[in-house]
Every structure is written in structure tokens, then in C-alpha cells.
Amino acid sequence: MGKKTPQINSSSTADIAFLLLCYFLMTTTMDQQLGIERQMPQIPTAEKQKNQKARKRNLLIVRINHKDRVFVQKGEEVFKEVSNNLGELRTMVYDFFLNGSPGYKNSAVLPERKPVEIPGFAKYNGGNTFYNVSSGIISLQYNSVTSYERFIAVQNELVAGVNDVRKKFSEDYFKKDYADLNKAELDIIKAAVPQNISESEPFKAN
Amino acid sequence: MSKFRKGDKKEAPGISSGSLSDIVFMLLFFFMVTTQMRESESKVSVSLPKATEITKLERKDLTSFVLIGKPVMALQDQLGKTDRIQLNGELVPIEDLGNQIVNERKALAEKDKPQYRVAIKADHQTKMDMVAQVKWQLRLVTALKIMYQTTRQAD
């Protein structure tokens, strides 16, 4: 007859687990990484740079100066200050990119539209795979001493404006909310309503 | 024999604590699985700007984080108060950033390379000059996908 192995008292496992639990509770970081995504352009060759001239009506210039004041220039108009009301940028971007789309006014001083073939779009557009895409470009210019906070605040309004256009597009063609779109529909919307925001090199502070 | 017995001292049944450890273990596993240890210590202090039109960063494993900001208090004696750039726990001079990013990208599998992204975590007080320099270095090595990291602004 072998000796009986003594039983290990297991009442303290709960305490040990509690301690571990407390440790992981304290160290865990549940933060999500959030932000504004951007695709930068390649550095253009000298030859390409020469041909890069946008027509005035297709350009919306947003400029943040060295004192974080914000100005907008639409086409041939003069610069207008919107520092105290950045929300105005949002509606301006909305009007800018919607110009000339079906059922919307077509102003001669706002961007023109060009038909672009979008794969997979035909079934939402009555068999027509072409869509008139706005040629508009937003040029975001800033000074080297502009604060990052202001830069992001302006970017946020610009993206919000583009997203408003996308929301409208989504309701018009897909008959659903922009947030509920699947991958294929998102690809279509990205081609039809491009986020043409170009960030130039900063102006040097004097 | 009355239905309502008063003054009758009956002991409340004790709650069985046998399953307590099981519950605690389950919680423990949950936190062990979801926890993410901070991989590197920050040498610069960053408080992110706020924004509303934000997207979630996907594939964190394919992302390099570039921090821009003033050195943390403890290091300000050595490093001064000018903005510095940090990549993976080490301060990097701006000229070296491109090379380091290339090395980071090299380490990835071939099929993942197009999804490589650089997240810029800049302090909200940073001047755009620094951010623009970082962007230029990234463009030089064609790391063109970037994300300006922000926090969510409450509406």
C-alpha cells in the first residue's frame, strides 16, 4: 500500500487569479488607433511638374497662415477668411464637389465634370458604367509655423465635406447609408467621389 | 403552527463560493487575451489633436509609428525642448528616418508590403515644419500611405 499523496489546498487559487487579474486590468490599454488617412503623391519628375496645371475653376485653395488664420480661395475669387467659422469650409467643399452632378446646379466658376468608367457601377446606374466625376482639387497650403492642431482641424472639415458628398452619392445610387456600404461599393464611391486633397510643401516663415 | 413565524432564528443559506475562482479565471483570460503591452517607451510626449472624421487603423502590425513632439520631462535636461522624432522607441534624426522606414518595410512579407503604412503621432503643438519634413522623407522612400493619428472628438 503506497502512501496517500496529500491534497493541495486549492482555496487560494482564486486569490492568485485575482492578483493576476488586477495586474492585467491595470496594464491593459484598450485604445483604438484612430486618425485621418491620406495617400501622398509620388515625387513628380521635372517634366511631369510642368504639365501639372489645374484650371482655375477646378481649384479650391485653403491656406493656413503663420498665425493659424484660415483663408479660402474659390476659382477666381479673392481670399476669404474663415478662421472663426471652420464649419463654413465643410459646406464650401460640399458645394465644390457636387457642382454639375445630376439634379444639382452647374456653376461655371466651380469644377467641371468628366465621364470616367467605374468598374461595377453599371448595375446601380441603369446599365451605364460611366459617371461624371468632378475634376475639383482642394489645395491645402500652410506655413512652416502653422500648428499641427490647426492643420488637423482644417483637414477634418475638408474630409467632412467630402464625406457629405459621399453620403449623398450613397443614398442616391445605393439607397443606403454611407456607413453600411460593403467593400465593392466603397471602391465605387472612392472612384466616383475622389478625396482630392493635395498638401503642398509649407511656406517658409519670415 | 402559524404560517408567519416571527422570532424564529433561521440562518441565511451561505452563498457557494466554489465557482468564484472560475469566474475570476474567465475574466483573467479575457484581459490576458485583449491586453496589449506598450512595445516601446515614449521618449517624446505626445498629446494628439482631436477630429471627428476619422477611420480606424487596420493592420497595426503593418504600421510604423512615428512620434513627433518635445522630449518628456525626464529627458529634457539632456535633449532640450525642441521637437524630436521617435520611431520604435528610439529617437531618430530626420535624415535617418527614410533609411529606417525602408528597413522596417523590408522586414515585411512581400504580399503585405503594399499595405504598409506610417502613422504620424504628432503633438498638437508641433509646428507644421517638422511634420512636413517627415512627410518629405517618407515620400523620398515612397512610403506614401500615411495616417495622421488623432483622438475622437466628442460631438
Side-chain angles (χ1 to χ4, degrees):
Chain A
M1 225 17 211
K3 251 190 195 170
K4 237 189 179 181
T5 45
Q7 281 205 336
I8 298 167
N9 185 0
S10 64
S11 64
S12 57
T13 47
D15 299 342
I16 296 165
F18 252 131
L19 276 176
L20 277 169
L21 177 64
C22 288
Y23 171 71
F24 280 102
L25 260 170
M26 301 306 281
T27 56
T28 194
T29 50
M30 297 256 240
D31 59 330
Q32 286 178 328
Q33 311 282 335
L34 303 163
I36 298 172
E37 283 185 55
R38 197 45 46 86
Q39 174 88 34
M40 293 194 287
Q42 290 209 327
I43 296 174
T45 54
E47 190 195 344
K48 222 178 169 186
Q49 212 157 16
K50 238 188 254 170
N51 301 330
Q52 237 180 21
K53 266 229 164 114
R55 292 179 63 183
K56 267 251 161 115
R57 66 180 283 195
N58 292 335
L59 211 56
L60 182 77
I61 299 174
V62 180
R63 190 175 284 177
I64 318 171
N65 80 354
H66 60 288
K67 282 185 178 153
D68 283 357
R69 289 168 67 184
V70 186
F71 300 87
V72 195
Q73 187 190 38
K74 216 171 9 173
E76 308 273 351
E77 287 174 22
V78 289
F79 276 101
K80 177 188 171 201
E81 181 161 7
V82 289
S83 307
N84 297 324
N85 186 13
L86 286 183
E88 213 175 311
L89 271 177
R90 184 175 182 161
T91 49
M92 273 173 121
V93 170
Y94 184 72
D95 284 341
F96 183 74
F97 280 124
L98 261 188
N99 187 50
S101 64
Y104 205 75
K105 65 174 193 283
N106 192 356
S107 159
V109 293
L110 287 173
E112 55 200 342
R113 301 182 89 85
K114 284 190 185 131
V116 173
E117 189 172 4
I118 302 170
F121 184 52
K123 77 174 163 177
Y124 302 102
N125 197 25
N128 185 0
T129 179
F130 283 90
Y131 179 75
N132 287 332
V133 177
S134 173
S135 309
I137 297 169
I138 299 173
S139 169
L140 179 56
Q141 306 173 344
Y142 48 88
N143 195 286
S144 57
V145 290
T146 300
S147 78
Y148 183 65
E149 187 176 29
R150 195 65 163 169
F151 174 78
I152 289 296
V154 170
Q155 284 267 15
N156 191 46
E157 292 306 320
L158 299 181
V159 176
V162 176
N163 282 347
D164 285 347
V165 181
R166 286 185 175 172
K167 272 173 204 160
K168 186 177 179 334
F169 183 93
S170 169
E171 272 154 28
D172 288 354
Y173 290 94
F174 304 134
K175 310 277 183 265
K176 50 175 160 168
D177 212 48
Y178 178 48
D180 301 332
L181 298 184
N182 59 34
K183 178 84 174 54
E185 288 163 339
L186 272 178
D187 284 342
I188 292 173
I189 218 166
K190 275 179 187 163
V193 188
Q195 202 188 75
N196 278 337
I197 302 174
S198 128
E199 299 163 24
S200 60
E201 291 304 307
F203 294 108
K204 290 286 163 226
N206 310 308
Chain B
M1 283 278 281
S2 68
K3 270 189 177 174
F4 306 100
R5 281 185 296 193
K6 274 180 191 172
D8 200 33
K9 274 183 191 156
K10 215 183 184 184
E11 267 183 57
I15 299 166
S16 158
S17 63
S19 55
L20 180 70
S21 66
D22 297 343
I23 296 163
V24 171
F25 262 121
M26 267 202 322
L27 275 170
L28 177 63
F29 286 138
F30 172 73
F31 279 101
M32 273 177 79
V33 170
T34 56
T35 198
Q36 288 158 350
M37 301 283 171
R38 197 154 289 173
E39 279 144 41
S40 56
E41 190 192 348
S42 340
K43 294 188 175 172
V44 296
S45 65
V46 171
S47 108
L48 294 171
K50 291 189 175 83
T52 53
E53 306 298 314
I54 46 185
T55 46
K56 219 174 120 188
L57 178 68
E58 279 160 34
R59 299 306 302 268
K60 231 173 172 178
D61 49 328
L62 303 180
T63 307
S64 295
F65 293 89
V66 173
L67 281 73
I68 310 172
K70 290 186 174 62
V72 290
M73 275 300 183
L75 292 170
Q76 274 186 4
D77 291 341
Q78 301 171 44
L79 300 167
K81 283 187 175 177
T82 50
D83 287 345
R84 297 296 180 111
I85 299 162
Q86 180 183 352
L87 178 70
N88 296 339
E90 291 302 321
L91 293 180
V92 180
I94 183 82
E95 314 83 53
D96 271 2
L97 185 67
N99 287 331
Q100 302 248 7
I101 291 289
V102 170
N103 288 339
E104 292 261 307
R105 200 172 35 184
K106 250 187 216 160
L108 299 178
E110 202 56 49
K111 69 172 169 55
D112 289 337
K113 277 180 188 172
Q115 289 189 61
Y116 180 68
R117 192 188 300 279
V118 177
I120 296 178
K121 283 179 106 165
D123 189 83
H124 67 283
Q125 284 181 332
T126 315
K127 296 290 173 216
M128 278 311 289
D129 187 36
M130 204 64 177
V131 181
Q133 282 186 52
V134 168
K135 271 167 59 191
W136 181 250
Q137 292 295 326
L138 295 178
R139 281 177 79 188
L140 283 176
V141 295
T142 60
L144 300 176
K145 275 186 153 187
I146 58 167
M147 174 182 251
Y148 299 112
Q149 249 189 292
T150 65
T151 51
R152 190 188 295 280
Q153 184 167 40
D155 289 320

